[in-house]
Amino acid sequence: NCAARKPVTCSFERGCGQTAVDGRIDPTLWPVSPNTEWLSGCSDTRYVQVDLLSPRLFNKVLMHRYYADGRKYCGAKVEILDGNSGSWKAVYDTSADYGASENEHGTSLVFDPVVARYVRIHSSHSNLNNGAYILEVAVFC
């Protein structure tokens, strides 16, 4: 996991920080993890952004969201900062589709290999409420 303990910023209203890359996926930690309860639809997302400190080759992100009740989330998206254009480029996007039920193994987001230093992992709300709760993100380089 090349995102472990790397610098994090995010667009979540609460809990932004190193808890997103500290390796802990305990669902009881959701109050101190990046979270929000104000998302209005699947296209209304919040993100965790990880600085990998140098350009890295990867094709998989693992996102752990609150999973204790088997909820499903929509709006999963992975973006990278394109070093050539200086703009964000989506490499994975479920849009309005809900994924499988969350569990302790997380949600694996796989895409064609890319090289990037900055990665944004987005999520929207679940089928149970308007909140998004990201416990942990991992980038596999």
Side-chain angles (χ1 to χ4, degrees), residues 3-137:
R5 307 253 184 243
K6 297 295 191 296
V8 171
T9 57
C10 62
S11 66
F12 282 85
E13 285 82 1
R14 298 181 299 267
C16 185
Q18 291 303 112
T19 59
V21 291
D22 66 2
R24 298 181 301 161
I25 59 166
D26 181 345
T28 64
L29 296 174
W30 75 263
V32 296
S33 299
N35 71 87
T36 187
E37 295 185 5
W38 312 112
L39 300 172
S40 60
C42 291
S43 62
D44 185 9
T45 66
R46 298 294 184 271
Y47 64 80
V48 171
Q49 178 177 309
V50 181
D51 179 354
L52 301 176
L53 302 178
S54 64
R56 303 292 301 266
L57 174 68
F58 60 95
N59 72 333
K60 179 181 172 184
V61 167
L62 184 61
M63 176 168 43
H64 290 274
R65 294 173 282 196
Y66 182 81
Y67 61 86
D69 53 11
R71 64 184 62 204
K72 298 177 181 184
Y73 290 86
C74 63
K77 179 167 56 172
V78 176
E79 293 180 307
I80 61 163
L81 184 60
D82 185 333
N84 296 323
S85 70
S87 60
W88 289 97
K89 173 184 173 186
V91 295
Y92 183 95
D93 191 351
T94 63
S95 287
D97 293 339
Y98 283 88
S101 294
E102 288 293 313
N103 61 53
E104 69 275 8
H105 304 295
T107 300
S108 184
L109 312 174
V110 180
F111 41 88
D112 290 336
V114 296
V115 175
R117 175 179 171 175
Y118 295 96
V119 186
R120 281 184 180 169
I121 300 99
H122 293 253
S123 182
S124 189
H125 66 85
S126 76
N127 61 326
L128 298 182
N129 64 28
N130 288 337
Y133 315 93
I134 296 183
L135 301 173
E136 183 74 12
V137 296

